[in-house]
Amino acid sequence: LLIDDVVTTGRTVQICAELLRDAGAREIFVLAIAQAESSLVEKKHLGESHTVDVARLVPWLCLSGTPDLGPVRVRALIEQFKTPEKILSIDGNMLEAVRGIGPKLSKAIVIQAAKRGEYPETAARLIAVADRLPGGRILTLADSDYPAILGQSNHAVPVLYGAGLSADSLGS
């Protein structure tokens, strides 16, 4: 099955696959092509890569996936090293020097950093889900849209997932 100019939702693929399955097809292989010059008035097409968003999100997901590394310690690390990329690239001794990060947590961060390559697929899936939700957003502590009141608290999670429409978008 070859589908040309599939839109972001991928609904065309699903409909065609269901029709083929109903017609008795046992296996369905899909090749979907989205053209950059599409007339669709969406900001993103299925065939376009989210490489910038994925690259931005991966280190945050990797860091937040570290066992026992809560928001207070993440904030301490960010204050010291500025970015999750930097945190994930330094050695354990430098990590241990940060208040609240001992040998055990330092080792966990180094182990987690070695798993960084496992996160691009997860980041892409999360972004795809957010794209399908009305007002879907994925924010990190580095984003200017991260809620200020949460960002100033000790409960500021490194990655914040949200969906919904703001009062501004509803015209109120």
Side-chain angles (χ1 to χ4, degrees):
L1 173 63
L2 171 65
I3 300 178
D4 189 20
D5 204 23
V6 179
V7 296
T8 304
T9 62
R11 189 78 180 117
T12 306
V13 173
Q14 184 179 356
I15 291 169
C16 291
E18 288 170 3
L19 289 171
L20 288 169
R21 192 169 287 116
D22 291 345
R26 289 188 292 165
E27 292 184 306
I28 301 167
F29 299 93
V30 178
L31 173 61
I33 300 172
Q35 299 171 353
E37 68 273 9
S38 172
S39 59
L40 182 67
V41 187
E42 285 282 335
K43 292 181 182 177
K44 297 177 181 173
H45 299 275
L46 185 64
E48 290 180 1
S49 169
H50 293 281
T51 54
V52 172
D53 292 337
V54 168
R56 179 186 65 81
L57 187 55
V58 163
W60 287 103
L61 291 174
C62 186
L63 188 63
S64 65
T66 305
D68 301 321
L69 182 64
V72 172
R73 291 178 176 143
V74 168
R75 181 186 306 276
L77 288 165
I78 292 293
E79 286 174 5
Q80 178 73 31
F81 301 111
K82 308 301 180 214
T83 68
E85 295 90 342
K86 178 72 173 168
I87 295 165
L88 295 168
S89 69
I90 60 179
D91 69 37
N93 293 329
M94 290 181 71
L95 293 168
E96 283 183 44
V98 176
R99 192 175 115 197
I101 308 293
K104 184 178 176 183
L105 192 51
S106 172
K107 183 178 180 180
I109 294 168
V110 170
I111 290 169
Q112 188 66 15
K115 298 177 183 179
R116 193 178 340 196
E118 298 174 15
Y119 285 89
E121 186 177 329
T122 302
R125 282 196 318 264
L126 289 169
I127 290 167
V129 169
D131 283 348
R132 288 193 299 267
L133 296 172
R137 304 278 311 272
I138 301 173
L139 300 172
T140 69
L141 283 171
D143 290 320
S144 61
D145 292 346
Y146 194 96
I149 196 162
L150 178 59
Q152 295 164 2
S153 80
N154 285 336
H155 303 287
V157 294
V159 181
L160 182 64
Y161 306 91
L165 302 174
S166 68
D168 293 340
S169 66
L170 295 174
S172 55

